[in-house]
Amino acid sequence: AAAVGDAPVAAAGRRDFAQALAAAVTTGGHDNRTYHLTGDRDYTYQDVAAAMTDVLGTPVRYRPMPAEQYRTMVTGAGVDEATAGFLAALDQSIGRGVLRNAGDDLSRLIGHPTMSLVEGLR
């Protein structure tokens, strides 16, 4: 469950980020540059649930909900109010698209396409 709606998220794996860091510190031409490191494609939380189903071998379903309902759900699970508010606000930002694909900086730095969602989850 999350309060992101069907917003896109351009997830990338730790290996891709580590390779990008290694490239930035071991090669030249990166001074005073800003990189926007995102995966090559956008995924919805529905896509994440489908990938988790594939990896885990058991059905995983994404349940979208309004931010206030999400906040109530997580506080009901024992999360304190401040953290629940932070999580709900984070989901609202994701819902506005702040984690969508921002270009090909990551794949250019690592010299190959970023890993797939299923590969990253495995």
Side-chain angles (χ1 to χ4, degrees):
V4 302
D6 61 356
V9 175
R14 288 182 295 182
R15 183 185 69 211
D16 292 336
F17 289 122
Q19 289 174 350
L21 175 60
V25 299
T26 61
T27 62
H30 306 287
D31 292 347
N32 300 313
R33 300 267 326 258
T34 300
Y35 295 106
H36 299 280
L37 303 181
T38 63
D40 289 338
R41 69 167 285 219
D42 287 322
Y43 298 98
T44 65
Y45 274 44
Q46 294 286 1
D47 296 328
V48 173
M52 290 175 73
T53 296
D54 183 40
V55 170
L56 298 172
T58 188
V60 175
R61 184 175 59 95
Y62 165 58
R63 187 176 61 167
M65 61 180 54
E68 193 52 46
Q69 183 181 355
Y70 178 74
R71 184 180 178 139
T72 300
M73 181 190 73
V74 296
T75 56
V79 174
D80 65 90
E81 283 289 333
T83 303
F86 169 77
L87 293 173
L90 180 62
D91 272 15
Q92 288 176 308
S93 293
I94 293 169
R96 288 190 297 276
V98 298
L99 295 181
R100 69 183 175 280
N101 182 282
D104 65 350
D105 286 351
L106 182 55
S107 57
R108 282 187 308 102
L109 276 169
I110 63 178
H112 57 80
T114 58
M115 68 176 60
S116 72
L117 186 56
V118 169
E119 183 182 6
L121 289 171
R122 283 202 170 112

